[in-house]
Amino acid sequence: MQVQDTPEEWRVVATTTPFKGNKTSVRTDDVEMPDGSVVRRDYQVHPGSVAVVALDEQDRVVLLKQYRHPVRQKLWEIPAGLLDVPGENPLRAAQRELYEEAHVKAEDWRVLTDVYTTPGGCDEAVRIFLARDLSEAEGERYEVAEEEADMELARVPLDELVRGVLAGELHNTCLVVGVLSLTAARAGDGLDALRPAEAPWPARPFEA
């Protein structure tokens, strides 16, 4: 048996969009089950996101701390952002987010992992990149506002982040998945065996 997710789409007999927000919306689908019954499913429609585990030569990860109102906490996170344009190249979006949030650029990019954050209630897909060979970005820093105006930046040793994740002290999905995936990749075939930065992404198809 091959353990691999597979595409499948059950018939939708009716659909509505009861809420449309600035970036996301809520959709209600009436979905036909295998036994012929129809059930209603509400879920958030999301454009998709990218995130970056930026690892420096001292084995530290670039982090930012940001207030997240839905959970009423300030969370340590890795740089991340929305795919604002349909079909946007995720690598270009990740490079933009690393520049805007951390004022950092990287020469070596790999795909670390792809995830659905909450597939039971949201269609958000996230591609998490590994960025290495870091340097300070050129030009002026990106002007921040709202929650981002209160962000803290830090570089934290990878081992310390793994400990924090397993101790229940760090909770951001992309940080947790990214840090543990990086650790697993090192223990396995090595970082150079990771997928190339432009690897296909069926969840959010894009043009190179």
Side-chain angles (χ1 to χ4, degrees):
M1 181 181 67
Q2 185 176 14
V3 182
Q4 180 176 332
D5 298 336
T6 55
E8 185 165 344
E9 189 168 351
W10 293 359
R11 191 168 76 95
V12 176
V13 299
T15 186
T16 60
T17 305
F19 171 79
K20 287 187 177 181
N22 185 32
K23 298 291 185 180
T24 66
S25 61
V26 173
R27 183 174 297 161
T28 298
D29 287 346
D30 291 339
V31 186
E32 186 176 303
M33 299 289 106
D35 64 1
S37 63
V38 175
V39 300
R40 181 158 290 177
R41 294 289 179 259
D42 303 315
Y43 58 99
Q44 183 185 24
V45 178
H46 193 285
S49 306
V50 292
V52 185
V53 176
L55 187 70
D56 71 13
E57 68 284 350
Q58 298 179 48
D59 217 36
R60 301 175 303 175
V61 177
V62 176
L63 297 185
L64 52 95
K65 195 174 189 180
Q66 185 172 348
Y67 176 65
R68 293 301 188 183
H69 186 70
V71 296
R72 307 313 199 262
Q73 290 194 33
K74 274 191 169 182
L75 301 180
W76 283 108
E77 305 178 351
I78 56 177
L82 298 176
L83 291 168
D84 294 312
V85 180
E88 183 176 14
N89 186 298
L91 173 59
R92 307 292 176 263
Q95 291 170 332
R96 180 188 68 232
E97 293 300 331
L98 185 61
Y99 166 75
E100 291 181 355
E101 295 191 340
H103 203 64
V104 167
K105 64 180 181 179
E107 297 302 322
D108 186 279
W109 290 82
R110 309 278 174 143
V111 174
L112 194 51
T113 192
D114 299 322
V115 295
Y116 292 114
T117 54
T118 48
C122 179
D123 71 352
E124 180 184 16
V126 182
R127 169 156 281 189
I128 303 177
F129 290 90
L130 172 64
R132 293 179 293 172
D133 193 5
L134 308 183
S135 61
E136 191 77 7
E138 301 166 356
E140 295 183 3
R141 282 188 171 273
Y142 181 77
E143 186 175 346
V144 296
E146 300 172 349
E147 288 92 342
E148 292 183 349
D150 191 47
M151 285 194 312
E152 303 173 45
L153 288 171
R155 296 194 181 196
V156 181
L158 178 61
D159 289 346
E160 184 177 332
L161 295 179
V162 172
R163 183 206 61 77
V165 167
L166 298 179
E169 298 168 357
L170 300 167
H171 306 91
N172 175 264
T173 301
C174 292
L175 183 150
V176 171
V177 173
V179 162
L180 297 185
S181 295
L182 173 56
T183 303
R186 277 183 164 175
D189 295 333
L191 301 185
D192 289 337
L194 291 168
R195 286 174 290 161
E198 298 273 10
W201 189 18
R204 293 294 185 273
F206 63 93
E207 294 184 6

